[in-house]
Amino acid sequence: MSFFDWINSLCPKLQHIIQTELSTHFDYSLDLAVGATENSKLMMQREETGHYHPMYSCMAEVTAYNYIRGDSERALQDIVGMWKSSDKHRRDLLNFSNIGIGFAYDHRKDILYATACLR
């Protein structure tokens, strides 16, 4: 699987994990995914989580990073676990029905940066 195929395969997986863990449903939005991807790239460049881009059409966004260590599924589950354990992030995820997901991957450090833009 190519790098781009791998990154693209993570979006529906993360959406599924969020929906399953929080018993909610999201409609996927490509315009939100553009903002989410841009934010993830900026987090990778700055080597920290944060909200670095104009929020495009986002009403809220949740961010995280995690080490892959050869298991991207586990990394995604851990990211959702971090969001669930934060009152603010969990509330944001439960209060919106549209999601766009974006990733950036630092291959030197084996870190996956994730952003979910919500509306």
Side-chain angles (χ1 to χ4, degrees):
M1 177 180 298
S2 76
F3 173 77
F4 293 108
D5 290 339
W6 173 71
I7 284 287
N8 286 332
S9 76
L10 298 179
C11 294
K13 290 177 184 176
L14 183 61
Q15 181 178 352
H16 175 76
I17 294 167
I18 294 168
Q19 291 178 154
T20 302
E21 292 288 319
L22 295 174
S23 300
T24 192
H25 172 77
F26 292 101
D27 292 319
Y28 199 78
S29 167
L30 291 176
D31 67 314
L32 293 176
V34 169
T37 301
E38 288 304 311
N39 193 74
S40 291
K41 288 184 204 174
L42 289 167
M43 288 192 308
M44 183 179 70
Q45 290 168 359
R46 296 177 182 192
E47 298 183 340
E48 61 186 9
T49 60
H51 309 279
Y52 298 113
H53 65 83
M55 301 246 328
Y56 295 88
S57 53
C58 292
M59 305 248 344
E61 79 184 357
V62 292
T63 63
Y65 71 91
N66 201 2
Y67 293 94
I68 296 292
R69 295 191 180 104
D71 189 352
S72 57
E73 297 275 340
R74 179 80 243 159
L76 295 177
Q77 290 172 346
D78 290 346
I79 286 169
V80 173
M82 287 183 253
W83 289 340
K84 278 179 53 180
S85 67
S86 161
D87 289 339
K88 180 190 179 314
H89 290 99
R90 186 177 58 256
R91 184 174 54 253
D92 285 345
L93 288 165
L94 290 171
N95 285 332
F96 296 96
S97 60
N98 293 292
I99 194 168
I101 297 168
F103 295 100
Y105 177 65
D106 183 338
H107 68 277
R108 295 163 298 137
K109 296 182 179 179
D110 196 32
I111 297 175
L112 182 69
Y113 293 84
T115 301
C117 285
L118 306 160
R119 178 177 58 221

